[in-house]
Amino acid sequence: MHKLITILVLVLSGTIAQLNLPKTPGYSTPPPKPYPPPGYSTPPPKPYPTRGYEPMMPYSFSYAVVDGPSYNNFGHQETADTKAVTGSYRVALPDGRTQIVTYKADENGYVADVRYEGKATYPENKPSYPPNYKPAYKPAYQPAPPKNYKP
């Protein structure tokens, strides 16, 4: 009981002490002063140049790679005039065929013709080493021993 009275006295004295505190004056900061205008004149920014239609420049290129040890065999050739791009590329596929793509790109879009030369062959897989896997044990079936139940 004595502790309860002590706690109540402390809470009341803290509340009364806060009530007697002077209020802080309310004020606001003055608005910031505007920056003075610059002492020199700035020219207006130049607009970005607009890109108009630029005609296509004619060009032509080609390359080819034939490397026997790595089985790489491919090439590409392309030609462009002022209206269209035409070209073709070829790739040796792993199944023995050659894929040839001939294309044309103009104002109507991209049109490609894909064709294959040769016949796909899949050689039989013959390992170059004899299989030497032998099981470590010979499994033998043995029935489970009979369970003897005694009532």
Side-chain angles (χ1 to χ4, degrees):
M1 183 72 174
H2 181 61
K3 289 182 183 179
L4 181 62
I5 294 173
T6 308
I7 292 174
L8 285 174
V9 168
L10 288 175
V11 169
L12 282 174
S13 64
T15 306
I16 292 171
Q18 286 183 355
L19 292 176
N20 293 335
L21 289 177
K23 301 285 186 186
T24 57
Y27 63 92
S28 63
T29 58
K33 294 180 182 176
Y35 288 110
Y40 56 90
S41 64
T42 58
K46 294 180 183 177
Y48 288 108
T50 58
R51 296 194 76 155
Y53 173 75
E54 295 179 8
M56 188 175 4
M57 299 296 293
Y59 66 89
S60 179
F61 77 89
S62 66
Y63 65 86
V65 174
V66 178
D67 185 29
S70 67
Y71 300 104
N72 281 322
N73 185 359
F74 56 90
H76 185 187
Q77 72 93 117
E78 185 172 286
T79 304
D81 56 11
T82 58
K83 297 188 187 248
V85 177
T86 57
S88 67
Y89 58 90
R90 63 178 171 74
V91 178
L93 299 175
D95 61 5
R97 300 178 296 164
T98 301
Q99 178 184 17
I100 300 172
V101 178
T102 306
Y103 60 89
K104 181 178 181 179
D106 57 9
E107 67 274 355
N108 298 323
Y110 179 84
V111 178
D113 176 40
V114 181
R115 62 187 167 94
Y116 298 92
E117 288 182 352
K119 186 176 179 181
T121 58
Y122 302 100
E124 185 179 342
N125 184 15
K126 294 181 181 177
S128 60
Y129 55 89
N132 59 1
Y133 172 74
K134 295 177 184 170
Y137 65 93
K138 288 198 170 216
Y141 173 73
Q142 294 180 355
K147 294 183 179 180
N148 296 330
Y149 292 107
K150 295 183 179 178

